[in-house]
Every structure is written in C-alpha cells, then in structure tokens.
Amino acid sequence: MSKEGTIYRISGPVVTAIDMTASMFDIVRVGDEGLMGEVIELHGEKAIIQVYEDTSGIRPGEPVTNTGDTLSVSLGPGLLTEIYDGIKRPLATLEEIMGVFITRGVDADGINMEKIWTFEATAAEGDRVESGQVICSVQETDTIAHKIMVPPGKGGVITSIKSGDFNVTETICTLDDGTKLQMLQKWPVRSPRPFRQKYAPDTPLVTGMRILDFLFPLAKGGAAGIPGPFGSGKTVTQQSLAKYSDAQIVVYIGCGERGNEMTEVLAEFPHLIDPNTGQPLMNRTVMIANTSNMPVAAREASVYTGITIAEYFRDMGYDVALMADSTSRWAEAMREISSRLEEMPGEEGYPAYLSSRLAEFYERAGRVETLDGGDGSITVIGAVSPPGGDISEPVSQGTLRIVKVFWGLDAGLARQRHFPAINWLNSYSLYPQSLNQWFRDNVAQDFPEIRTEISGLLQIEAELQEIVQLVGSDALPVDQQLTLEVARMIREYFLQQNGFHEIDAYSGVEQQYKMAKAILTFQENAKKAMAAGGLLEDIVNVPARTTLMRSRFEKGYLDRIDGLVDEMNKEIAAAVENN
Amino acid sequence: MSAKEYRTITDVKGPLVFLNKTHPVAFGEIVSLRLENGTIKNGQVLDTSNDLVVVQVFEGTAGINLTAGVKFMGDVFKLPVSTDMIGRILDGAGRPRDGGPEIIADEKADIIGAAINPYSRQSPHDFIQTGISAIDCCTTLVRGQKLPIFSASGLPHNDIALQIARQAKLQDSDEEFIVVFCAMGITAEEYNFFRSDLERTGALEKAVLFVNLADDPAVERLITPRLALTAAEYLAFEQDYHVLVIYTDMTNYCDSLRQIGAAREEVPGRRGYPGYMYTDLAMLYERAGLVKGKKGSITQFPILTMPGDDITHPIPDLSGYITEGQIVISRELHQAGIYPPINVLPSLSRLMGSCIGEKTTREDHKSVSDQMYAGYAQGRELRGLVAIVGEDALNERDKQLLEFSALFDDKFLRQSRDENRSIDETLDLCWDLMQNISTKYLVRLDQQWIDKYHPVDKKE
C-alpha cells in the first residue's frame, strides 16, 4: 500500500481505487489526466472516490495519487470580487488556461499568489498572540479591510514581524515555536472554523424588501429558507438580498443553477452600487458558480466552500450573508453520489443522512464571539426548489425543521405578477420577539404594533375573500368593503415591490414604517369619513391616494410621504363635504 | 480498426450487455457488437472495472446472444462535424438518412460537450421577434435563451414551433437562423409534417435534421439530442451561425433515460425516473447561450408533452428548473378554438428583462406587459366567481377586468398561423385593449406611459 494506487472501477462520477492508503475525505488525483477527486468511502482495500470532473475516457488500471490533504480552500487577501467554481478554482483563471469551455485536469490557485499587498503590522515583536488574533489589516477593496489572523491552532510569542509589500505566500511573521505565518492560510471546507461562543441574534439583517423586513424579519446570524416552485422568483429574491442587504460581506453560491443567470449577476454586480456604502457591490462579494451542467461532485462541495469563506470573514468580525441557490441541487448531488455508492436510500431516494447534513450546514450560521473577542455573524439564506412546488418533500421539510424564517414563494402570486411572490399567509419568522427592541430603538416606538395591525388586516382579508368568492364583494357591508380596499392597498402598494426598478427595489426601514403608517392613516380617515356620511367609492378614489401610491417609484419618496399623506387626508375630508 | 474482439458476454438484460475478461476499457468508450448473422450494433460503456464491463446498446439487444463479438473502439462517442451538414437529414445516430453521402468531417467533436465556463458566457440581450403577440409581449424570447414549450398530447405545439422557426428574426435585421431539428421518438407523421413545412418554406436548405422516430431504437434517443447539440455548437461557435435548436419530444427522451435506469437496477426517483435526471437534462439545456469572443449563438426550443397535462410531473418540473422560462400550451384555450393557445399566466421568460425597453423593443414594454398580465390574471379568476354569483354581483372594476380577459383571448392571443405581428403592432394592440379598463385601475402602468400611449388620453 502506498500513496499511489490504481483505478479498479469507474461508474460515472464515482471511481474505485485499489492498493492505495487513504483516509476519509483525502483529495486524490485520478487517472493519467490527474482529475481531482475526494475519498468518500473505504471498503476493505478499496477506496471509493467522488471525482469533481467528467470521467469519460478514463480506464481501469490508470494511476490514482493520494495528495494526503483534505478538500481545503486558500484564504487570504484577493478573495473578494472573485468568482469561483465549486472547488474554488477562479473561473477567470480557468478561462485563461482552457478557453471558454471547461475541460479537465487543470488546477488553479484559489487566490492570486503573486499579487502584492501592503502589510502594516499591528502586532509587534515580543507580543504574545493567540489563535484568531488579528496581526494586521490589509485594505483589500475600498470598503473592506482584510484582517490577517493567526490561523486557528497556532499561537505564541512573535519573534519577528515585518511591515511592507508582500505577496500572500511570503513569511511575514515568525513565532517562538518556529511557526512561520503568511497572509495565506488554508482550511478544510468540511470542518467549521472555531469561535468562542454563539450569541442570540438581536439585530435584523435589513434587506430593503418591505415584506421581508417588515413582516418576516431575519436576524443577523439567523437562517432562512426560501422554498418555491420554478418561476416563483427564488433567484430574483436571492439576488435582491445579495444586492441590498446590509451585510458587510456577501457570499453568493450558485449551486446547480443556470449558467445565464450567473452571467447576468456577473455582468450586473460590478455596476451596481451598495446602498449602504456607496461602493460597487462587487467589492464586498465573493461568488461561487457551479452551474447545473458542471460536475455534480463539485456541486456537492460548493456549499462547503462557500460557507468556509463566509466563516473566514466572520472571524474578522464582519457580518456576512450567504445565499445558497439552490440547496435542492446540492441535496440532489448527494442523492446522485449516494445512489452510485449503492447506499440504502431514505425518503425519495435521498440518502438517510440528508437531514443531518442540512442541519450541519445551517448550523454554521450564527452570531459569534470570534477567537479574538470580536463580534461577527453569518446569515444563511437557502433557496429550496421543491419538485412541483410541493414542500412536503424531504429537502424542504429538512430545511424547515432548522431555519427560523420561512419565506414561502407562491406560484399563484407569481402568475398575477405579484412580486416578490412571498405568501404572507403561510410565511413566518420566529425572530420578531428578539428584534422588536431594535426596531423600537432604531425606527419607531410603535413599530411592532404597526406590524401586528398590518398582518392582522391581511388575515382578515383572507377570511373575507372566502365570503366574496361565494357572494361577490358588493354583498359585503361597507366597513368590510373598506377593509378589503385597505388590504388591497397593503398588497399593491406595500408588499409588491419591483426588484428591477431603480428606486422601488430598495426601501429603508424608516420608509417601510412610514408607508405602513400611511395605509393605517388612510383606513382611520376613511372610517371617520364614512361615519360622517362619505361614500366609500369617493373616498377610495381620491386622486391623492393614487399619487401617494405611485410616487414610491420616484426619487426622494421618503421625504415626501408625510406631505402626500396630508394631501390625501384633506381630499378625503373634502369628499365628505362634497357629498 | 483492429481492436480485439471479445466473446465474453455473461449477461444480457434489457438494453444492457455485461461482459468480463476484457482489457481496461474506458468509461464512455464506444462499443461495436457483431452478431452471428453479421449485424453490427453499437453501444457505449456505462460502467467499467477490471472484472466487469456494462455496455448500453443503442439499437436494442434483440438477437444478441452470449457468443456475440464485442469490440471496444478506443474512444468516446464523437460526431464528425462540418458545414456540409447544413441541408442534410441524419438519423438518430448521426448517419445519413436522406440517401446522401457520408459527412466528411472537418473535425470530430465529443458529443458530451464540455460545460461553458459561466465566466465566459455573454449575457443574452438581443430581442427575437417571433411575430406571436403572446410570446413577444409577455414571454419575450432572447437570442441565446432556452425556452421550452410545455404542451400535451393533442395540442398544436408543432405548429407553434414551426411558426416561431419561420418568423423568428432579430428586429431590424434579416439575419436568419440555422435550424437544427432533433426528433426523438416522434411518429413518422409528425416528422413528415415538420419536414414538409421546412421544405415548403425553403428552411430545409438551412437546416440540419437528426431524426429518431418512434420505431427507431429507444436507447438511441439518449444520444440523438447530444449529436444535435454538438452540431449546433460547431455551427455556432466555430462557424459563427445563429442556431435555433428545436427538439421534440423531451418526454420520449426522459422515458429512455428511465428505461436505462431500470435496467441498471438503480434506485428510482420520482415516478421511476432516475435521480440524476436533473443533471442529465441540464447537460442538454445548458448547451445554449452566447460565448465571449464568438459571433454565433444557440437558442433552444425543446418541446415536451406533459403526461396528463400535469405541470408538476418530473419532466416539465425538472425542465422548468433548468430552462429560462417556459411557454405553456393550454387545452382549455385550444378547445375554445384559440390559436396559438398559449396560457400566458404560467408562461415565463426569465431573460425578458434584459432585452426589452427603450433601446430594443419599446420604452413602455415592461409596464404594458405587467399590466396585461395582472389584468388578465384577475379577469380569469373572476370567471370562476361569475359562474357562482352571476355577472351582476360584480363591482365596476371587476366587470371591466372580466371583459378585458375575454378580449385578451379573442384579440390579443388569437392570430392566424401565418400572421406575423411586429412588436409595435403587438404593443399598440395592448393599449387598444387596455382602454376597456379605466385608467385608475391600471396601477401597473407608469403615469408617463399612460400620458404618452393611452389612446383615449391621446385623443383628449
């Protein structure tokens, strides 16, 4: 037995090697072309390998070499603005090496090893440094300072440390036990990076999407699931979150999805401006693109690659948001590999360990005290693509058992072009309790109460609609007809939001609050006016209300709302007098 | 080729042949089987090891016994490609079917096809005008898109596909598409319909046909679309053509996939289809698009029939998750005598946003399309209500929407098989129909477009 073995069997992406010493999850090079693979099962003297590249043309008897490493990513300055495949090869570099089609057997460094960064040491000779401690900060992009940390498991007294211009592999610091530190560090993707402790989340991840922030808020450090059938807007929602959420770092994993969609993101992001910093969005983004036609084993690895990068930035004390689109494709990759291994299947052919893998992944989210005492978080937002839109299937159910926020997309709403097509009746968030204080302190004292009122109205509307289905809306008493009008206003003015519109795509929480207040003000005044003898039709049709609603597409809306509401109130009052 | 011939078959099961005691055989290698009576069959290696090789036989295993000779051809499946293919009709395995000569290869291309690096793709943004209002306005097609037609048995999907093939063009351009047509398990009658239409319009001279009919080997269907796409890639990315690939019927393809899965005793997924069907379909559909630095493009129109009209069936379901939208054909509209019976509500074009607007179609396109949709969706919903409570119980707004939805079917959707509406005509038609709803209910329309385009406002 040695590091070198030979191929015994090839069945699609699964290759069996013999005569090779191997441990679980060792990375191996398969065949004459040196395809990258990972040991996923040991069976007597056979090692079962999942191969990250296409295996056509490989023959039994070709060599297999064990590298002895596990699947790791290189972490260091140069990660941001990059786009990687599932095993963290930069796609731009791959294009240089092999042209527009992805061929096989090519390896590429995850980050640019040559690029020079200016390193200004913040620790000094003689200092005692611990794991995770920041020894320097490198300005990676205009907005993000990349903190160089002592890698986990290392520590000691600094015997020498240099400031100046270096590339990521040059030694910048030496410890008393002889450890040499570089800006580059490696971490195995399947193991979570360490931290001191997890905190309860208490700050919302502000996304600028009204239905999310206002009705179903997600906390920084929380996890959310977005299940929905195709065409219901999962990807658009995920992309909006990547664009507008107030995370400092965004990791976007395109896992088994469409190539053209990734291209769109790539074309668009460099030109989009982060509403929170005014800098190009790309400066805070790392992208991983493993499209549906790229090898499944690499798709399986892509979510781990993504979350490891997210943890690395979390350890610097940043708030990181990670979008995985779609976790169902990841689960399907597990299913495919599992079936090739002839494992006993669980539900719907998925492996029995599906739900524990999902749980392990989402559990890597959280708000933590980092090893050097800072505060960082990872918020995970996973899209789920349930077959036929039926969320009773294993991936949706496995996800819902773990996440605390459920944004349920609805094909019916999508068909009516109500976007975001998030169903307000079955979605939920378990965070309002822990976030209410933040909203009271930062937006308005009565924020939670306004939210309760708005969601209450939507509930009542659902009940009234059942009656309307039977008797028509004219048969309802006028006060209930008003409730329907108010609910329509909530839906058309507040919940609907055009993710592609320059202005409407992002609403700050203050604006959200004001818009919700405006709706309730309308309801209150309409009730008063009707009590004074006004006709519902006149009140509903006051032009100022239409202006109030339409103006949300215009610049400076936040400052104009109050004036527009006053105008509406006046017209409603006038409508009574004219009557 | 002087490859060694083995006579070591141990088992034959469905379309699969198992043999042992071979030299190391490559995964995916092409296999030639010689029967006792001299017939040659072709196959491909599905699983290979020192002890056992599993071969999938394209032409079916009828007549194969344990003494059949098996040769391994040393390479994976490659298609000889050349511009001479244009105007030719080939069978499901890429051999001439029109009695013409063999294709002289400029080069031989691996039919599996490598994935396009997402970084090297170019965003599709060229509007394709199909002349069909429902598509141009509501599910706009973009060059480089993959947009399937979800249909069902007995519906006129073939007419629609052909009408698109005939009329599709870039706005303000006469550049034509090369059509690559791929038939998988369709009947001879359907095939003749396609061929004669292409012949009639002269499109056949600018088309490549790959034909596997219902009575051709089912397993061969697994390679037919790969051949078609390999040819399309060659024409698009080596020869700078804009290629329109129409393949029909994906449902037959998926059934062949299931057949192989069952023969290999794999753990089945939903409805017996293999768990890797998503990945397998993606490897076809994702071979559409535009690539940086290349002039050509591949636009795909797969046609699939939904078993039992069920859009949640695994075939349409998995397709919908991969393709950039779908055009859904409705039995209800067809039975109401409307052609093309496109149900715009579940139909979608994901790339529409990138190709409509001021610079390409018209500035009001997005607004108009949203409003048409919303109005139609609400109007359709009201039809159910009217059946219960009668039209009199509706309020003014609902009455207008109901009437609008009827006009939508009759004036907007309905057009003849050779009617080619320009995008301006389509959008003007929309404004005409929207007159039937008072402007205060047209909440999806930006005020500036109402001011500019609304026929009544313009008159005033």
Side-chain angles (χ1 to χ4, degrees):
Chain A
M1 301 280 270
S2 71
K3 288 277 173 206
E4 294 269 339
T6 50
I7 297 178
Y8 168 76
R9 177 184 175 192
I10 302 138
S11 171
V14 174
V15 166
T16 310
I18 46 174
D19 303 328
M20 181 180 73
T21 48
S23 315
M24 283 295 275
F25 303 122
D26 278 353
I27 290 295
V28 294
R29 295 281 163 188
V30 177
D32 296 330
E33 292 181 64
L35 310 185
M36 188 169 170
E38 185 179 17
V39 176
I40 51 169
E41 195 176 296
L42 295 170
H43 196 70
E45 55 186 29
K46 289 178 184 160
I48 319 285
I49 298 159
Q50 63 174 354
V51 180
Y52 294 126
E53 301 176 71
D54 178 37
T55 51
S56 295
I58 309 294
R59 293 167 195 272
E62 288 187 24
V64 182
T65 312
N66 189 343
T67 63
D69 292 331
T70 52
L71 183 62
S72 316
V73 292
S74 317
L75 302 165
L79 279 169
L80 292 172
T81 75
E82 269 293 358
I83 165 158
Y84 297 104
D85 75 351
I87 44 178
K88 202 176 163 267
R89 298 181 299 182
L91 289 172
T93 314
L94 293 187
E95 185 189 73
E96 276 167 35
I97 301 173
M98 45 197 179
V100 296
F101 291 99
I102 295 185
T103 52
R104 305 187 298 191
V106 176
D107 199 11
D109 293 324
I111 49 182
N112 188 334
M113 299 293 175
E114 306 303 324
K115 188 165 178 184
I116 302 294
W117 300 93
T118 303
F119 178 92
E120 301 264 6
T122 50
E125 252 171 62
D127 286 358
R128 169 165 286 282
V129 289
E130 313 272 345
S131 291
Q133 192 165 333
V134 175
I135 53 170
C136 138
S137 161
V138 171
Q139 200 64 35
E140 184 172 355
T141 65
D142 289 342
T143 39
I144 300 297
H146 191 112
K147 293 171 188 157
I148 307 297
M149 298 167 288
V150 178
K154 307 258 169 76
V157 177
I158 297 178
T159 52
S160 79
I161 186 163
K162 297 184 263 187
S163 290
D165 293 343
F166 302 99
N167 69 29
V168 291
T169 54
E170 286 174 277
T171 300
I172 37 138
C173 177
T174 316
L175 302 181
D176 57 350
D177 62 354
T179 309
K180 290 183 164 56
L181 300 181
Q182 300 87 28
M183 281 189 256
L184 178 75
Q185 51 173 290
K186 287 203 163 196
W187 191 261
V189 297
R190 293 186 197 276
S191 327
R193 284 174 64 91
F195 51 85
R196 278 194 197 157
Q197 58 166 323
K198 276 198 180 177
Y199 293 127
D202 60 5
T203 316
L205 182 82
V206 176
T207 66
M209 287 169 82
R210 294 187 285 265
I211 184 164
L212 304 188
D213 292 345
F214 196 81
L215 291 182
F216 310 111
L218 171 61
K220 284 197 176 110
I226 319 183
F230 63 82
S232 57
K234 280 185 301 295
T235 302
V236 177
T237 309
Q238 288 275 41
Q239 289 182 4
S240 287
L241 291 167
K243 287 176 197 166
Y244 303 120
S245 65
D246 67 344
Q248 290 155 305
I249 304 282
V250 169
V251 179
Y252 192 94
I253 310 172
C255 175
E257 288 286 307
R258 302 175 181 88
N260 274 338
E261 272 173 5
M262 287 315 296
T263 311
E264 211 178 296
V265 173
L266 283 175
E268 195 181 18
F269 269 43
H271 306 292
L272 286 173
I273 299 298
D274 178 356
N276 302 299
T277 60
Q279 292 292 322
L281 273 175
M282 212 58 198
N283 283 355
R284 64 165 194 181
T285 310
V286 182
M287 253 185 270
I288 294 170
N290 205 83
T291 56
S292 53
N293 56 340
M294 288 158 84
V296 283
R299 193 197 301 167
E300 195 269 336
S302 65
V303 295
Y304 294 107
T305 304
I307 195 124
T308 306
I309 294 174
E311 284 175 339
Y312 176 65
F313 281 105
R314 172 203 68 191
D315 291 346
M316 296 177 204
Y318 287 118
D319 290 319
V320 185
L322 177 135
M323 286 90 197
D325 183 16
S326 150
T327 58
S328 292
R329 306 297 162 230
W330 169 49
E332 277 163 16
M334 277 193 252
R335 173 166 73 182
E336 186 169 341
I337 303 288
S338 161
S339 124
R340 301 263 183 192
L341 295 177
E342 291 163 14
E343 290 175 339
M344 183 70 79
E347 238 178 309
E348 289 193 20
Y350 286 105
Y353 46 80
L354 171 71
S355 60
S356 61
R357 290 274 172 90
L358 284 170
E360 277 165 24
F361 168 68
Y362 281 104
E363 196 51 24
R364 287 172 80 169
R367 203 184 129 219
V368 305
E369 181 184 357
T370 61
L371 289 180
D372 78 337
D375 188 339
S377 70
I378 298 179
T379 314
V380 174
I381 300 145
V384 186
S385 316
D390 172 11
I391 62 162
S392 65
E393 56 91 40
V395 184
S396 304
Q397 288 304 312
T399 306
L400 290 181
R401 279 211 303 276
I402 311 154
V403 299
K404 287 192 167 175
V405 175
F406 166 62
W407 294 326
L409 291 164
D410 189 311
L413 290 173
R415 266 169 218 182
Q416 293 174 28
R417 292 302 182 264
H418 175 112
F419 287 114
I422 293 165
N423 186 320
W424 50 88
L425 296 172
N426 68 9
S427 299
Y428 60 80
S429 161
L430 299 180
Y431 288 116
Q433 287 306 325
S434 32
L435 299 177
N436 275 350
Q437 198 54 46
W438 187 93
F439 282 114
R440 284 188 206 281
D441 294 345
N442 291 281
V443 189
Q445 267 306 319
D446 60 348
F447 189 97
E449 286 73 29
I450 301 285
R451 170 169 54 218
T452 314
E453 249 181 280
I454 295 280
S455 58
L457 279 164
L458 290 168
Q459 289 293 342
I460 296 171
E461 186 205 21
E463 287 160 23
L464 290 178
Q465 283 296 356
E466 283 176 20
I467 304 173
V468 171
Q469 289 302 319
L470 293 175
V471 298
S473 60
D474 274 8
L476 292 181
V478 279
D479 61 325
Q480 290 188 341
Q481 287 185 30
L482 172 68
T483 308
L484 287 181
E485 279 299 333
V486 174
R488 194 209 311 280
M489 188 170 176
I490 299 176
R491 285 189 281 114
E492 290 180 356
Y493 165 62
F494 190 79
L495 299 183
Q496 278 183 24
Q497 194 169 357
N498 184 345
F500 298 109
H501 194 282
E502 198 188 343
I503 313 276
D504 195 37
Y506 180 86
S507 283
V509 271
E510 194 188 344
Q511 180 179 331
Q512 296 182 14
Y513 171 77
K514 285 199 170 182
M515 288 171 75
K517 266 292 246 209
I519 295 168
L520 296 178
T521 312
F522 166 73
Q523 184 187 29
E524 195 183 323
N525 281 298
K527 268 187 190 160
K528 270 188 214 154
M530 278 158 62
L535 291 176
L536 176 65
E537 207 192 323
D538 296 340
I539 296 164
V540 169
N541 289 332
V542 295
R545 190 174 75 115
T546 315
T547 315
L548 169 73
M549 287 166 66
R550 283 225 173 104
S551 303
R552 72 175 189 279
F553 296 107
E554 290 158 20
K555 276 201 176 103
Y557 185 57
L558 176 62
D559 303 324
R560 289 178 55 207
I561 296 181
D562 291 340
L564 291 167
V565 171
D566 287 344
E567 192 65 27
M568 174 182 74
N569 293 342
K570 274 182 209 148
E571 287 188 14
I572 292 174
V576 182
E577 279 161 29
N578 293 343
N579 191 32
Chain B
M1 191 176 285
S2 61
K4 189 177 173 200
E5 188 174 274
Y6 294 94
R7 290 176 184 275
T8 52
I9 295 179
T10 58
D11 296 85
V12 182
K13 194 162 64 175
L16 303 182
V17 166
F18 299 75
L19 71 163
N20 58 15
K21 300 190 191 117
T22 62
H23 69 278
V25 171
F27 178 73
E29 193 168 339
I30 287 301
V31 182
S32 160
L33 295 98
R34 194 171 53 80
L35 272 55
E36 268 175 356
N37 62 8
T39 316
I40 300 287
K41 291 187 181 235
N42 296 297
Q44 189 174 17
V45 175
L46 279 191
D47 196 327
T48 170
S49 71
N50 295 352
D51 305 328
L52 184 73
V53 173
V54 183
V55 176
Q56 149 189 330
V57 183
F58 298 135
E59 291 90 348
T61 46
I64 295 182
N65 60 21
L66 301 188
T67 59
V70 182
K71 271 188 194 173
F72 296 95
M73 309 307 282
D75 206 350
V76 295
F77 206 125
K78 290 195 170 159
L79 176 74
V81 286
S82 141
T83 45
D84 294 343
M85 297 174 108
I86 299 171
R88 297 295 302 274
I89 302 174
L90 308 170
D91 73 2
R95 294 169 296 231
R97 192 191 172 100
D98 53 4
E102 290 283 330
I103 305 289
I104 308 296
D106 287 349
E107 58 182 88
K108 290 190 135 200
D110 183 352
I111 65 159
I112 301 299
I116 300 176
N117 185 336
Y119 182 80
S120 312
R121 279 179 184 269
Q122 204 181 316
S123 271
H125 49 70
D126 291 326
F127 164 63
I128 297 180
Q129 180 177 300
T130 65
I132 297 175
S133 291
I135 297 176
D136 287 350
C137 170
C138 301
T139 53
T140 316
L141 178 65
V142 191
R143 193 155 69 180
Q145 185 170 19
K146 40 192 180 291
L147 192 63
I149 298 181
F150 285 9
S151 187
S153 31
L155 297 178
H157 41 266
N158 292 341
D159 298 70
I160 297 173
L162 279 169
Q163 189 171 0
I164 293 169
R166 263 197 319 270
Q167 299 181 351
K169 67 174 190 89
L170 286 194
Q171 212 182 4
D172 315 320
S173 151
D174 290 324
E175 217 173 342
E176 272 181 47
F177 286 97
I178 293 275
V179 174
V180 172
F181 176 78
C182 167
M184 295 170 283
I186 62 171
T187 60
E189 200 182 323
E190 279 177 287
Y191 162 63
N192 286 335
F193 174 73
F194 269 103
R195 204 191 55 190
S196 60
D197 193 274
L198 291 172
E199 241 164 16
R200 181 173 61 84
T201 56
L204 194 59
E205 287 158 32
K206 304 204 77 184
V208 190
L209 276 62
F210 289 85
V211 183
N212 166 289
L213 296 185
D215 58 352
D216 289 332
V219 180
E220 192 182 84
R221 272 163 222 161
L222 294 176
I223 54 167
T224 312
R226 296 191 158 81
L227 299 174
L229 288 164
T230 306
E233 274 172 4
Y234 172 77
L235 294 172
F237 301 136
E238 304 289 331
Q239 302 295 333
D240 296 343
Y241 286 106
H242 294 292
V243 182
L244 187 66
V245 184
I246 300 176
Y247 36 129
T248 180
D249 175 339
M250 284 308 288
T251 308
N252 295 333
Y253 172 84
C254 293
D255 284 351
S256 292
L257 204 61
R258 177 164 68 177
Q259 197 183 333
I260 290 290
R264 296 185 68 187
E265 296 176 1
E266 290 168 342
V267 181
R270 275 200 308 151
R271 302 223 186 168
Y273 291 98
Y276 50 80
M277 192 158 86
Y278 176 83
T279 308
D280 192 277
L281 288 174
M283 290 180 74
L284 301 179
Y285 294 140
E286 277 291 333
R287 291 170 83 173
L290 284 79
V291 169
K292 277 188 214 160
K294 312 261 181 187
K295 279 195 196 137
S297 66
I298 298 179
T299 310
Q300 288 189 12
F301 259 110
I303 298 172
L304 59 88
T305 48
M306 299 183 282
D309 293 10
D310 177 10
I311 200 170
T312 66
H313 185 280
I315 299 170
D317 191 52
L318 295 179
S319 296
Y321 276 121
I322 306 163
T323 55
E324 283 135 358
Q326 64 277 337
I327 294 172
V328 181
I329 313 286
S330 149
R331 191 174 299 280
E332 192 192 331
L333 289 168
H334 178 62
Q335 279 165 349
I338 290 162
Y339 175 89
I342 295 172
N343 184 356
V344 299
L345 299 180
S347 300
L348 172 74
S349 162
R350 291 169 186 273
L351 300 181
M352 181 173 172
S354 62
C355 79
I356 61 171
E358 198 180 343
K359 292 193 187 98
T360 50
T361 55
R362 213 166 79 182
E363 52 193 2
D364 57 329
H365 189 155
K366 169 94 178 88
S367 252
V368 167
S369 146
D370 281 352
Q371 184 61 57
M372 291 291 284
Y373 253 112
Y376 185 58
Q378 290 167 9
R380 285 272 298 241
E381 224 177 79
L382 288 165
R383 287 183 196 172
L385 179 59
V386 167
I388 302 170
V389 299
E391 212 167 308
D392 289 347
L394 297 186
N395 61 27
E396 189 51 36
R397 175 177 178 276
D398 290 354
K399 276 183 194 148
Q400 291 179 2
L401 287 170
L402 186 70
E403 199 194 327
F404 170 77
S405 78
L407 287 168
F408 187 101
D409 286 346
D410 193 44
K411 299 272 195 267
F412 178 75
L413 287 184
R414 192 197 295 277
Q415 63 187 92
S416 70
R417 283 171 169 71
D418 51 12
E419 186 177 355
N420 192 349
R421 294 185 191 151
S422 76
I423 183 68
D424 276 319
E425 283 166 356
T426 292
L427 292 175
D428 288 343
L429 177 63
C430 295
W431 280 104
D432 260 355
L433 296 178
M434 286 190 295
Q435 279 183 72
N436 296 288
I437 306 175
S438 57
T439 42
K440 66 182 177 227
Y441 302 135
L442 297 175
V443 290
R444 304 295 177 98
L445 287 174
D446 281 1
Q447 189 62 44
Q448 50 174 331
W449 309 140
I450 295 183
D451 296 343
K452 188 164 173 187
Y453 291 103
H454 198 283
V456 175
D457 279 17
K458 262 198 272 185
K459 272 177 228 151
E460 274 165 5

